[in-house]
Amino acid sequence: MKITTAFLIALVMLTSPIATAGFKTGFESEFEIEPDKKAHIKNIILLIGDGMGPQQLGLLFSYARFAPDSIYKGQPTAIERFMEAGINGLSLTSPAEKIVTDSACSATQLATGFVSGSEMIGVNADGDPVETVLELAQRRGKATGLVSDTRLTHATPAAFAAHQPHRSLENEIAVEMLQQRVDVMLSGGLRHWIPAEVNDKGPLYQELKQRSGGHIRLTSKRKDSRNLLQEAQAAGYHVVFNREQLAPVNSPVLGLFSHSGMANGITDSQQQDNPERKEPTLKEMTLKALELLSADPDGFFLMVEGGQIDWAGHDNDVGRMLHEMIKFDEAVAAVYTWAAQRDDTIVLLTADHETGGFGFSYSSHQLPEGRTLPGKAFNDRLFKPRFNFIDRSILSQIYTQAKSYEAIGKEIDKLPKDQQNAEKVAEMLHRYTGFPVLATEAAYILGEPNKLDKHDKPRAQIHDFKEFYVYPKSLRSNLIGRVLAKYQGVTWGTGTHTATPVTVSAIGPVDQTRLINGINTHPEIGSLLKQWIGGD
Ligand code: MG
Ligand code: ZN
């Protein structure tokens, strides 16, 4: 539904009393929806691109429009169609007292409508548990669902169905999420749901191996003997581990499809047409959740997360990030198709923050040749810009990246010692990315002999802005990103998050969705979600 300006103006005139009530300041939520308008939204679907700042959207949109052989073939992405059809604003994601947020705090603010603190799950800034939009939906008799391509207990989904002082308490979060009786839970992270005894590879290990289909690494992160899968079944859940088991299943369902995170975007796109594929895609999980939840006559709340856009950002891995964006866009497409013609559903699409300080950037690498142009201004001079403004063919090249930097890094580690040299690494980077990296550049990715990590392996360092590269696991990927940067026309500002405002877009009844127009904060958006689902 395309909303015309005239229609919007007419609407504002008809509903003038709330025009002032919609004004927002600071962190206080000042939204008041008129009583007769309350609780008439049957279904709420929240789509979160983790780490999907405006620059990540730009990567997807630029690829779709400008890549010479874009898979979108001139068609707009689902996110663009969504934004065209809906109301759009920006939102500030900051936590209590600080500027930059993490995913736990950000999701908590979206889930609860309260300002929260860094790395907290489902509690306000003082640390008190507060009701989430999912819990409120349950109180209103609605069905609920959580879908993510990371781990079910990871920060974003956790913030909707758990209350913990810290996001790292994933074993405790699993227990809470199960107690919460969310109807549809589909993600990765089996390692937090199986008892510690599985690590002994005894009978339970064998049984799980049989049941899961053998594609999941079966080691537990639990410190206790609780078998949450068994507890889930005793509570009536269907527990599934692969695509085949998911397809026919009914609600309530607990689907855990991987040991930790699910397939990354590159693997995901390579595997899509493989009939042997065990993991469902984000889109397949989303469609299944919609099928099951929409059967509830009271309506539903569903959160779907594209969670690995963030992981690609932390790794400064642009090829993977493009594929993560496409993966998320496919899930958005599924939801958009389901919801676009409905008047009882609001779909809200946003991010929790930006990751990586990413962007295309012009440079001095390979300066352009001069060429003639037919226009009058160039009658007597060549068109020869002073800098490399980045050829659009780069977008196609980025799409063809065949492995994530993480996977390339693991492959480097697996090489025999005598092959772990700059020539070999340069050859691998060229093979997997198509960019002609030199051995002198690739040397930067290998370890420095005087810097040993805890396994006594030489460890390469980042020397500028090094305080912003806080994850040792990502370091090798970050270095690969830096070496490829000039070829890709891409720069990265950080290995963590930035505080840029993120987009927030909504489709559904415009008298409600228009409240997100302009500049918001995430607690305000969360507060709106709760009012829409029928808050008191
Ligand atoms: Mg997340
Ligand atoms: Zn992150």
Side-chain angles (χ1 to χ4, degrees):
M1 82 206 103
K2 178 86 189 174
I3 306 305
T4 64
T5 313
F7 177 70
L8 269 179
I9 291 168
L11 194 92
V12 171
M13 286 166 67
L14 277 170
T15 59
S16 52
I18 48 170
T20 48
F23 184 73
K24 299 154 270 175
T25 55
F27 280 121
E28 265 75 33
S29 181
E30 296 183 6
F31 297 112
E32 253 328 307
I33 296 174
E34 288 169 283
D36 63 321
K37 300 260 175 65
K38 267 191 179 172
H40 77 304
I41 306 298
K42 187 177 172 192
N43 313 306
I44 302 265
I45 306 170
L46 174 59
L47 304 171
I48 300 178
D50 194 316
M52 187 184 73
Q55 292 274 43
Q56 283 74 11
L57 289 171
L59 170 65
L60 177 69
F61 300 165
S62 298
Y63 167 78
R65 285 167 190 245
F66 305 141
D69 51 4
S70 163
I71 57 163
Y72 287 91
K73 297 186 170 40
Q75 297 301 308
T77 63
I79 295 175
E80 285 170 274
R81 285 187 283 135
F82 189 104
M83 293 176 90
E84 281 285 322
I87 303 286
N88 301 284
L90 291 173
S91 188
L92 293 162
T93 62
S94 302
E97 296 169 8
K98 305 289 175 184
I99 298 169
V100 188
T101 193
D102 79 294
S103 297
C105 171
S106 195
T108 295
Q109 299 191 142
L110 285 173
T112 68
F114 285 88
V115 177
S116 185
S118 301
E119 303 181 340
M120 296 180 188
I121 295 286
V123 300
N124 66 18
D126 287 338
D128 286 315
V130 278
E131 186 174 51
T132 70
V133 57
L134 181 145
E135 291 161 342
L136 175 61
Q138 287 181 326
R139 201 148 62 77
R140 294 284 177 260
K142 296 179 189 295
T144 56
L146 294 171
V147 170
S148 170
D149 60 356
T150 62
R151 297 187 292 274
L152 191 53
T153 50
H154 206 259
T156 310
F160 289 83
H163 308 272
Q164 293 287 341
H166 198 266
R167 55 185 290 170
S168 61
L169 300 167
E170 291 189 58
N171 292 335
E172 290 78 2
I173 287 168
V175 171
E176 258 197 281
M177 290 180 99
L178 182 57
Q179 282 166 353
Q180 196 56 49
R181 298 288 183 268
V182 182
D183 300 283
V184 177
M185 295 192 276
L186 306 175
S187 187
L190 179 64
R191 66 190 196 181
H192 298 286
W193 299 76
I194 52 180
E197 285 75 16
V198 170
N199 299 340
D200 304 333
K201 297 203 156 76
L204 182 60
Y205 171 88
Q206 295 302 339
E207 185 207 315
L208 276 171
K209 195 173 164 187
Q210 191 99 49
R211 272 180 70 192
S212 61
H215 67 108
I216 307 177
R217 183 178 133 203
L218 294 169
T219 52
S220 172
K221 283 269 181 183
R222 295 200 69 81
K223 305 274 179 274
D224 58 23
S225 298
R226 285 186 77 166
N227 184 341
L228 297 182
L229 302 182
Q230 209 169 52
E231 292 182 33
Q233 275 168 302
Y237 277 93
H238 307 279
V239 178
V240 297
F241 303 96
N242 59 48
R243 207 169 146 243
E244 210 180 339
Q245 293 167 349
L246 177 67
V249 86
N250 280 316
S251 194
V253 57
L254 171 64
L256 294 163
F257 306 105
S258 60
H259 170 254
S260 177
M262 295 181 67
N264 74 53
I266 293 176
T267 309
D268 192 79
S269 80
Q270 290 163 343
Q271 289 291 315
Q272 281 213 3
D273 300 326
N274 179 359
E276 303 290 297
R277 173 166 59 87
K278 298 283 190 209
E279 279 189 23
T281 61
L282 188 62
K283 177 187 172 181
E284 286 169 342
M285 294 192 292
T286 302
L287 284 169
K288 187 66 193 182
L290 286 171
E291 173 205 319
L292 295 177
L293 297 173
S294 61
D296 191 315
D298 300 312
F300 65 87
F301 169 81
L302 169 64
M303 192 286 299
V304 176
E305 178 194 27
Q308 298 194 31
I309 303 162
D310 174 69
W311 295 2
H314 283 293
D315 274 3
N316 297 173
D317 183 342
V318 66
R320 177 177 178 186
M321 197 156 79
L322 174 58
H323 282 278
E324 299 299 349
M325 286 299 300
I326 293 169
K327 188 209 280 181
F328 185 54
D329 193 60
E330 287 165 357
V332 173
V335 170
Y336 183 68
T337 303
W338 186 88
Q341 302 308 320
R342 303 184 70 104
D343 60 4
D344 60 356
T345 300
I346 288 180
V347 188
L348 192 131
L349 166 66
T350 189
D352 51 357
H353 52 73
E354 192 272 350
T355 307
F358 160 80
F360 283 104
S361 205
Y362 67 78
S363 78
S364 65
H365 174 67
Q366 285 187 340
L367 294 177
E369 305 275 317
R371 60 186 175 96
T372 56
L373 278 185
K376 282 199 177 60
F378 289 91
N379 270 351
D380 53 7
R381 66 178 277 168
L382 291 174
F383 174 52
K384 190 176 186 308
R386 289 171 298 160
F387 302 109
N388 176 352
F389 287 88
I390 314 304
D391 204 84
R392 291 182 177 187
S393 63
I394 296 275
L395 291 160
S396 292
Q397 189 67 58
I398 287 171
Y399 179 84
T400 62
Q401 186 180 315
K403 268 196 182 192
S404 68
Y405 297 173
E406 185 187 5
I408 295 171
K410 282 182 183 158
E411 203 171 308
I412 294 171
D413 283 335
K414 277 199 199 124
L415 286 172
K417 273 274 170 288
D418 59 339
Q419 283 186 46
Q420 285 193 22
N421 55 51
E423 288 73 23
K424 181 70 187 169
V425 172
E427 182 276 313
M428 280 171 63
L429 288 179
H430 190 184
R431 180 151 42 93
Y432 290 130
T433 70
F435 294 105
V437 175
L438 304 174
T440 47
E441 294 162 345
Y444 181 54
I445 294 161
L446 291 168
E448 293 161 42
N450 58 342
K451 300 262 168 50
L452 299 179
D453 68 11
K454 62 178 179 189
H455 306 295
D456 291 333
K457 276 190 194 161
R459 182 174 141 183
Q461 302 287 311
I462 281 177
H463 295 289
D464 59 339
F465 300 106
K466 66 176 190 290
E467 293 80 6
F468 299 89
Y469 288 83
V470 300
Y471 300 109
K473 259 177 66 183
S474 288
L475 205 58
R476 176 143 13 219
S477 298
N478 298 142
L479 292 164
I480 293 174
R482 280 164 183 249
V483 165
L484 289 170
K486 71 175 185 192
Y487 298 104
Q488 297 167 329
V490 155
T491 61
W492 300 91
T494 181
T496 68
H497 302 165
T498 69
T500 186
V502 297
T503 55
V504 50
S505 309
I507 58 168
V510 180
D511 63 330
Q512 305 300 323
T513 55
R514 71 183 186 85
L515 293 172
I516 68 156
N517 179 55
I519 312 300
N520 309 270
T521 68
H522 265 26
E524 287 169 347
I525 298 295
S527 174
L528 260 181
L529 290 171
K530 282 169 88 171
Q531 286 188 56
W532 284 336
I533 207 88
D536 353 64

